[in-house]
Each structure stands twice: as structure tokens, then as C-alpha cells.
Amino acid sequence: MMSVVHRLTAGWLVDHLSFINQCGYEICDSFAHPGGVTHSTSVTSTEDYYSISTFAATPSSSGGPPFDPGDAVEAEGKRAKMRYVFREEFFDISKPHIAAACEEQPCQGCPEVSLTGIKANSNREEYQEGAKSDTGDSLATARKKRKRKCVFNQGELDALEYHSNVRKLIWDGTLHLVQEGLKSGFLRHTTAKPSSRKNNVPQHIVCGLAELCEMAKQFPAVDESDHQVVHVLEEEISRAEQDLLSCVMENSSNCAKIIVLMGQKYLVPPKSSFLLSDISCLQPLLNYKKKYDVIVIDPPWENKSVKRSNRYSHLSSWQIKQIPVPALAAPNCLVVTWVTNRQKHLRFVKDELYPHWSVKTLAEWHWVKITTAGEFVLPLDSLHKKPYEVLVLGRFQGDVKEALRKSECVLPIPEHQLIVSIPCSLHSHKPPLAAVLAEFIKPDVECLELFARNLQPGWTSWGNEVLKFQHIDYFTLLQKEN
């Protein structure tokens, strides 16, 4: 299962949507309904449909285009597979979020820009944004806002310096990968108007997962001595929320499963496992007794926009350090941490967090976000928001002899690589790393994602919103007969 469209020296052009749809979201239905199938709710096999709800349930909206009954299996008794695909409109990023000058896009030549030039561009951009937002303000207030916007604090100066150091690497690498994408037809210039169906797609589905994890702290304590460590999604129809939140759930079959939690339906891909819990309830993951060769971490970093939006709770640096990575990591485990563009967080990961976990920093990679036409989604030299995010890669320094043995026949981690992709419009839905990391790890290794918001085959995922992007309303139902 590959999501890589092109692999060049600079990095990878990745198809996130294709990866999701290759995860195998097929429900192995024992028998089809006579006369057709109802869209989004047609799971009749008790093996594949798990109701996990003891609280008040509210039915999930079906979403998506209406299902054509003519495509359904008509005869009772025939086996059928129902296939779900992720809605492609979530990846329909055809225009930049903020327009940049034509010469500042990868399809043009690379202008050499100094740190002073970047500051000037950023000031111009901020002045223009300020002018837009100052409508209705008094002239004095507007001038004060604009004056403040042109003064750089220390954090912004650090960010500008970092950006000036990586800018050419990001530009050149993205340019080459975009050119390959345009040649192959994966990327294409378009003048078509955006699809109107996007307006009908729910951008934010209230699932209440984080709230459920918070509520779970009030549950009676679980007796660890006789409690089930893992529940395989094949054995029974129903589980209570308390059981779901106190053990790892595992889908060991070759088909996807649907579970219902508090009235909401979620798709669980084949060969995947997950733990839905708060950071204070990680013990079930440790009880799982697995050591992981790859650990990807996407912490909810503290920042101003998170505080304002209250979208999800953030963690302090101290709390992130308490995550028991050494207890979960196999010798020579590859640890990958997503970092925001705040230099404070980047320095923390490299200078404090990784040493605390006995992880040796090896590389900084960048995820670059582009449109379907190959343009940066944001101006490359934007002051506050960049079209890229940082990944810090390192190796866990555990048993030295075992680490040396495991490192044999594995390529060394390059100091810098780009992962270029069209981003999902859903907030914080990161691109998959399984395919890009494959050449640096041995096959069939144990992989773990911490603070995950989605599941993937072959991985264990943990987080208080671990099922968020598995919600059935993010998918469209297809059907085919066996």
C-alpha cells in the first residue's frame, strides 16, 4: 500500500487521499438486504457491527450523496462487500488560502530572498491584512495596529532566521517535486470553479471523544489483575464505554469494522488497533506489552490560536515529557515528532524532550502543503503562518548491541527531506508517514502513533480523539458484490 506518487532526492510527493482509500475500508457483509441497501447504515453482519453505547445515543447523520439502490445487491442470500471511500472534496484544495505573487510559487523561478527581504515581504503582507481588518476602526486605532504589526518580537526574529536557513531547501525541493507532479498529471492547473457540493460537507463533526475520555476519569477503578488487556473486534456485539476506554481494541481481520460509540459510527480499518483514552490513562497501552520500532508523535502544542479556538486542549512541555516513550520503544526505535513553526517548541524537542527520552536527534524534515495546481497554500515568506511544518526524527538509544543489530541493512536517516502533499481541509489531519519511512525501517515492524486522530493498518494508535477522522460521515459508501 503506497501513497508515494514521486520519489526524488529532495523527498516525496505524497497522495494522502489515495493512502486512506487503500486502507481497505470494506465491510464483509454476510448477507445483503433484499431489495437494496440503505446508504451509510447497511451493516447487517453482527460480526462486523459493534454497538458500544451505554449513554444516551443520537443517530449519526448519513451525509454524502444519496446512494443509488440500483447499485445494491438485490437478491437475499448473496454475500456482498460494502466499500467506503474518504470524501475527495476534503482534498479539493485548488487555490491558495492566501494569494501570493506569481513569482513566489514553485512553478516560477526561485528568487533569492535575504532575511531583510523576508522581513519586508512579511511587513507588506501584515500591513495589507491589517488594512483589510481595520474597516470601521478609527484612524488612530488603525495606525496603532499597523505600527505594532511592523515590530518583530524575539520569537518572530528567531522564526525568520530559521526560515531564511531552510527556505532554499524547501523552495528547490518543492519545485522539483511539483514539476514531476505536473508532468505525470497528478497535479494540474485548473480554471474550474470549486465544486458546490463542498458546502454540504460537514467540516466539524461533534463526536465528543475528548469529553468521553474526560468523563472516564469518574469511572470506578479497573482491577488490573483480572482485566482484559486487549479486545479483538470479532468476539461479541457490544462493549460498554468503560471497557472501551480501559483496554486496547484490535481489528485483526482482513475487513474493516464499524463500531458505534455514543450513537456515532466509526470505521476501523483491518489489521489496526487503538486505545481511546486521556493522557492520564495510558496504562492499558503499557499493558499491551508491545515494543515499537516506529513511534510518531503529534502533540497538542500550546499556542495562541489553540487557546482562542478552544478546539482541543493543549499540553505543557512538562506533560509531554511524561509520555513513557522509553517504555514503549524497541531498541533503535525511530521516533518522529511533529512540531509547530514556533522555535520554542523546536528547541524544546531537540534540547530537552529527546535527551529526556534517550533519543538522539538525527534529522529535521518538512511537510510542505500545496494546492492541486502545485502552489503553496500560503505564501512561503508569510510571517505568522507558513506552508510547511517540521518533523524532528531521532533514534531511541536503548540496548546498544540490539540497536546496532537492528540498524544493519537499514538506510541512514537523511538530514533533510520534504514530504509534499495536498493537505486535508480537516484541521490537523496529517499526511501518512508509513510509506516515506519504509526505506529506513525493516519490514513488518510494530508502529505506534501517539495523539493520533485516525487509524491505519499495521499501526497501533492512541489519543483522546483517536477515532475522530474515522467518523463515518467523512466517508462515502460504495458497494460491490462478491
Side-chain angles (χ1 to χ4, degrees):
M1 180 172 60
M2 295 295 288
S3 59
V4 175
V5 181
H6 295 291
R7 172 66 166 117
L8 301 179
T9 306
W12 304 264
L13 181 61
V14 172
D15 185 349
H16 188 174
L17 176 62
S18 175
F19 173 84
I20 297 173
N21 289 334
Q22 290 175 37
C23 284
Y25 288 107
E26 290 185 336
I27 307 296
C28 302
D29 196 13
S30 293
F31 295 97
H33 276 300
V37 175
T38 305
H39 176 60
S40 291
T41 58
S42 315
V43 183
T44 57
S45 168
T46 56
E47 284 186 0
D48 300 310
Y49 192 15
Y50 294 82
S51 176
I52 307 177
S53 182
T54 54
F55 300 141
T58 54
S60 169
S61 59
S62 62
F67 185 75
D68 183 0
D71 294 333
V73 177
E74 295 182 357
E76 184 175 6
K78 289 186 180 180
R79 289 185 59 82
K81 282 187 178 179
M82 291 181 295
R83 180 170 174 242
Y84 287 85
V85 294
F86 203 77
R87 294 188 175 192
E88 62 182 27
E89 48 264 48
F90 286 121
F91 288 91
D92 186 19
I93 312 295
S94 56
K95 293 181 179 180
H97 303 321
I98 298 176
C102 186
E103 66 273 11
E104 293 173 8
Q105 291 295 358
C107 54
Q108 307 298 321
C110 179
E112 294 295 335
V113 181
S114 65
L115 183 58
T116 304
I118 294 172
K119 287 181 181 179
N121 287 342
S122 299
N123 279 337
R124 183 179 68 247
E125 173 198 329
E126 296 302 323
Y127 186 91
Q128 289 170 346
E129 288 297 309
K132 290 177 187 175
S133 63
D134 287 335
T135 306
D137 287 339
S138 70
L139 185 60
T141 304
R143 283 175 178 166
K144 183 183 288 187
K145 282 185 181 179
R146 292 171 194 168
K147 184 178 180 181
R148 183 185 59 78
K149 287 176 182 293
C150 294
V151 176
F152 295 94
N153 61 38
Q154 188 57 50
E156 290 168 336
L157 289 172
D158 291 344
L160 283 169
E161 184 177 358
Y162 177 84
H163 176 69
S164 68
N165 291 333
V166 301
R167 184 185 192 280
K168 191 172 189 306
L169 285 170
I170 290 173
W171 183 285
D172 289 349
T174 304
L175 174 64
H176 294 144
L177 286 161
V178 164
Q179 285 174 339
E180 288 299 310
L182 290 169
K183 283 180 192 174
S184 67
F186 174 70
L187 301 174
R188 60 189 66 194
H189 296 293
T190 177
T191 56
K193 294 181 180 178
S195 172
S196 58
R197 65 180 174 173
K198 184 184 292 188
N199 297 328
N200 299 322
V201 176
Q203 288 293 313
H204 181 61
I205 296 172
V206 180
C207 305
L209 296 174
E211 291 80 1
L212 176 61
C213 291
E214 188 66 27
M215 193 187 308
K217 295 178 183 179
Q218 309 304 319
F219 289 159
V222 172
D223 183 356
E224 297 286 347
S225 60
D226 62 357
H227 185 69
Q228 190 176 6
V229 173
V230 59
H231 171 64
V232 179
L233 291 178
E234 285 181 340
E235 296 168 355
E236 53 189 86
I237 300 171
S238 178
R239 300 287 285 187
E241 276 88 349
Q242 183 170 356
D243 290 340
L244 174 68
L245 293 157
S246 59
C247 71
V248 175
M249 308 292 285
E250 190 176 275
N251 179 10
S252 58
S253 75
N254 293 318
C255 287
K257 307 289 182 183
I258 291 182
I259 62 173
V260 180
L261 178 60
M262 296 178 71
Q264 303 293 316
K265 295 179 184 178
Y266 301 91
L267 285 162
V268 180
K271 307 297 182 183
S272 66
S273 56
F274 69 91
L275 172 65
L276 171 65
S277 83
D278 185 82
I279 192 171
S280 63
C281 305
L282 272 172
Q283 192 58 43
L285 190 59
L286 297 170
N287 295 345
Y288 200 30
K289 301 293 184 185
K290 283 193 177 184
K291 295 288 186 177
Y292 297 94
D293 301 282
V294 177
I295 299 179
V296 175
I297 310 165
D298 185 14
W301 296 105
E302 181 180 357
N303 63 56
K304 291 177 182 177
S305 65
V306 167
K307 285 181 177 179
R308 283 196 302 266
S309 68
N310 198 29
R311 185 179 284 115
Y312 53 78
S313 59
H314 59 267
L315 294 181
S316 67
S317 298
W318 180 85
Q319 288 173 304
I320 293 171
K321 284 175 76 171
Q322 305 314 304
I323 299 167
V325 165
L328 296 164
N332 208 42
C333 169
L334 178 58
V335 179
V336 183
T337 303
W338 288 95
V339 187
T340 68
N341 284 312
R342 286 188 69 184
Q343 293 305 293
K344 172 185 173 183
H345 296 150
L346 185 57
R347 284 194 299 268
F348 166 72
V349 170
K350 294 163 66 174
D351 299 341
E352 288 188 52
L353 186 63
Y354 276 13
H356 178 72
W357 286 341
S358 299
V359 173
K360 181 182 178 181
T361 300
L362 299 176
E364 280 180 41
W365 292 2
H366 291 90
W367 170 35
V368 182
K369 298 172 245 188
I370 60 170
T371 68
T372 54
E375 301 171 296
F376 292 119
V377 297
L378 293 163
L380 182 58
D381 297 325
S382 170
L383 177 60
H384 290 301
K385 289 188 176 181
K386 297 287 192 292
Y388 61 81
E389 293 185 34
V390 185
L391 301 90
V392 182
L393 292 83
R395 292 275 190 192
F396 175 62
Q397 307 294 291
D399 185 313
V400 177
K401 289 183 179 179
E402 182 67 13
L404 287 172
R405 187 187 68 79
K406 283 199 168 189
S407 65
E408 294 173 1
C409 305
V410 174
L411 292 174
I413 302 294
E415 187 176 349
H416 186 261
Q417 294 279 271
L418 298 180
I419 301 167
V420 178
S421 73
I422 300 161
C424 183
S425 61
L426 299 171
H427 176 74
S428 206
H429 199 349
K430 298 291 200 303
L433 299 180
V436 303
L437 297 177
E439 58 191 88
F440 309 109
I441 56 177
K442 291 188 174 182
D444 302 318
V445 296
E446 296 287 349
C447 301
L448 170 68
E449 184 173 6
L450 301 175
F451 301 103
R453 294 177 183 86
N454 62 283
L455 309 179
Q456 48 186 322
W459 287 61
T460 299
S461 304
W462 164 81
N464 67 349
E465 293 185 313
V466 73
L467 296 175
K468 181 173 183 176
F469 298 131
Q470 302 302 129
H471 196 287
I472 204 165
D473 283 355
Y474 292 130
F475 292 78
T476 298
L477 173 63
L478 307 177
Q479 179 159 1
K480 64 181 182 181
E481 185 178 346
N482 261 8

